[in-house]
Amino acid sequence: MRKHLIKLQHQQLQGLIGQRDKLQIKTDELRRQQSALEQARAQLIAPPQHISAMNLLNQGHIRQQLDRVLVGHRQQVVVAEQDQARLTRLSQVQAGKVKGLELLELKRQQEARHKQQRQEWEQQLEWCLNSSRKR
């Protein structure tokens, strides 16, 4: 039962670590996308000198859309970073639980060995005493 509990806690820890790693990949991808969007926006800021009014209007509209998308991406990155920090804390707590359970199990096993050893010594002592009394 105790080993099963330790195994379950360890599986939860592995699950948290996996979620954290997937979130790191997602955060990195969001950052790359955000960088590409910012580069596209930077190219729209300085329009060519010979551009028609319609094209200038379209670029303004595209720039507004990019600004909205960039704001959304920034919010997603912030949320992903917060989630990643939360998962890191949770995995550290879970790792502490697993280690604590493992240490408790080790202590229980040591106590059981000591008890068994003490019983064997007592039996040997009784045997010695009984054999010396018979003489």
Side-chain angles (χ1 to χ4, degrees):
M1 177 69 174
R2 287 181 288 271
K3 288 185 181 190
H4 180 68
L5 179 61
I6 291 171
K7 183 179 178 183
L8 286 176
Q9 294 292 321
H10 198 290
Q11 288 173 344
Q12 286 180 348
L13 173 61
Q14 294 304 319
L16 287 171
I17 290 170
Q19 287 178 0
R20 184 198 64 200
D21 292 346
K22 287 178 186 175
L23 193 54
Q24 177 64 44
I25 292 168
K26 178 183 174 185
T27 303
D28 291 343
E29 179 61 28
L30 285 171
R31 285 187 185 127
R32 280 191 290 278
Q33 289 175 358
Q34 184 174 352
S35 176
L37 289 168
E38 287 173 353
Q39 288 175 356
R41 186 180 181 283
Q43 292 173 355
L44 288 174
I45 289 177
Q49 292 179 358
H50 303 291
I51 191 167
S52 70
M54 186 59 118
N55 284 340
L56 191 57
L57 183 63
N58 285 339
Q59 280 188 347
H61 180 68
I62 291 171
R63 198 171 326 139
Q64 286 177 342
Q65 294 297 324
L66 276 175
D67 286 342
R68 287 185 192 132
V69 170
L70 279 169
V71 167
H73 262 275
R74 285 184 194 116
Q75 290 172 345
Q76 287 179 346
V77 168
V78 167
V79 168
E81 288 171 343
Q82 290 171 345
D83 287 346
Q84 191 175 355
R86 182 183 55 81
L87 284 172
T88 298
R89 285 190 305 275
L90 285 174
S91 60
Q92 289 170 344
V93 168
Q94 189 65 27
K97 285 181 183 179
V98 169
K99 189 65 174 176
L101 287 171
E102 288 172 345
L103 289 173
L104 282 174
E105 179 62 17
L106 180 64
K107 183 179 177 183
R108 187 198 65 76
Q109 289 173 356
Q110 288 174 342
E111 288 173 354
R113 274 195 303 271
H114 288 291
K115 182 179 178 181
Q116 181 181 359
Q117 195 174 36
R118 187 174 41 248
Q119 287 174 347
E120 289 173 3
W121 289 343
E122 288 173 357
Q123 289 172 354
Q124 289 175 359
L125 183 61
E126 277 185 42
W127 182 82
C128 290
L129 287 173
N130 287 338
S131 64
S132 69
R133 287 181 191 156
K134 290 180 182 178
R135 292 181 191 177

